[in-house]
Amino acid sequence: MPCLRSAVGKVDRSIMAKKSSFQIKAEFLVVRTVVGILGILPRQLSIWIGQRIVNFVFLFLKDLRRTAFINTGIAFPEKSENERRRLIRGCFENLGRVLGELCHFPSVTPEDVSALVEFNFEGLGEERAYYDSEVAKGRGTILAGPHMGNWEIGVFAYSASRRPISYLARRMDNPLIEDYVTGIRTRFGNRSINKRNSFGETIQLLRDGGILGVMPDINVQEKDGIFVPFFGIPACTTAGVATLARRTNALIITMCCIWDKEKRKYVVHHGSLIETAYTNDRHGDVREATEALTADMEKFVRAFPDQWLWIHKRWKTRPAGEPNPYAKQN
């Protein structure tokens, strides 16, 4: 399933040769069948089945369940084991909701999306007017959000109700599934940019006043990131977002798309407006913006902890001398 493939981790096309033509076609057939069946069912039934599928799949993914339990302990050491397990169950339920909703993307209209998703700009406060005026002047925007809630429909709703977004994504290891899923995601004008070797393309996009969607809440190698606090623990975080913003004079806005049980709809919450400084200390400017960005990611997770992707090894890369918290003990 596309959203599970995204959650567990996408593999670059460079290793595609390991898959036979038969395997590629068989995987594609499975995806088309699941999407086709869930897509013709009533939406709530599709979501219910999607949640059952995800829960069943994760019964066999012991390492990911272990990672989630470690992560919840790092983020919320004060919570009991039962409380942490409830958060993890919420994470799986949320992934099932993403799957069920995604299967309806091929047939929904912009009006359907607008009725299901609302935009909340309260987090921007008085900076909303400033942001609108800067966009009118041609400044680009980087929309940065964590892997939580329904990130798929959040980006989809932007193109249906506001402005199309270009988003960074690694290519899947199955070209048929990649083309199919990309076609669904870009129905209303969004554009996928290959995350690999994308720096020049994203610079031009932002200088032209476009919107770039990124998800910077994942672990990166030390050569690609910097250590900033996340739940009070140094987490190696991409410096690319702040570097892009500084180089193109783009604005950074944090956001997440959360399922609101009371409203029975999704709410796109916007957080802080972040601008990179322009001092003689370029690395310091990038670090300051990355810290602010990561702090907002933490605020979102603390506010909606059962909708974050706890199965990712967020604290895997460690400063010199610190142990890997995911290493198995002998």
Side-chain angles (χ1 to χ4, degrees), residues 32 54 58-59 92 198 207 235 242 244 247 276 290 305 308 329:
R32 281 299 304 264
V54 169
F58 275 103
L59 286 175
F92 295 163
S198 61
R207 285 177 174 170
L244 268 176
R247 188 160 179 176
T276 51
T290 304
W308 191 51
Q329 304 297 321

Side-chain angles (χ1 to χ4, degrees), residues 119-125 127-132 134-135 139-146 158 162-163 165 206 211-216 241 245 250-256 268-276 289 292-293 296-297 300:
F119 290 85
N120 183 342
F121 291 92
E122 291 180 3
L124 284 176
E127 292 183 318
R128 172 75 186 280
Y130 170 72
Y131 169 71
D132 290 340
E134 292 301 296
V135 169
R139 290 182 71 177
T141 301
I142 300 177
L143 281 178
Y158 249 87
R162 300 183 62 79
R163 292 175 59 193
I165 294 175
L206 294 170
I211 301 178
L212 177 67
V214 297
M215 304 180 80
V241 177
L251 300 157
I252 302 173
I253 292 183
T254 58
M255 62 160 282
C256 63
V268 177
H269 295 274
H270 294 77
S272 302
L273 174 63
I274 300 169
E275 293 188 84
T276 51
L293 174 62
D296 260 31
M297 300 295 104
F300 287 146

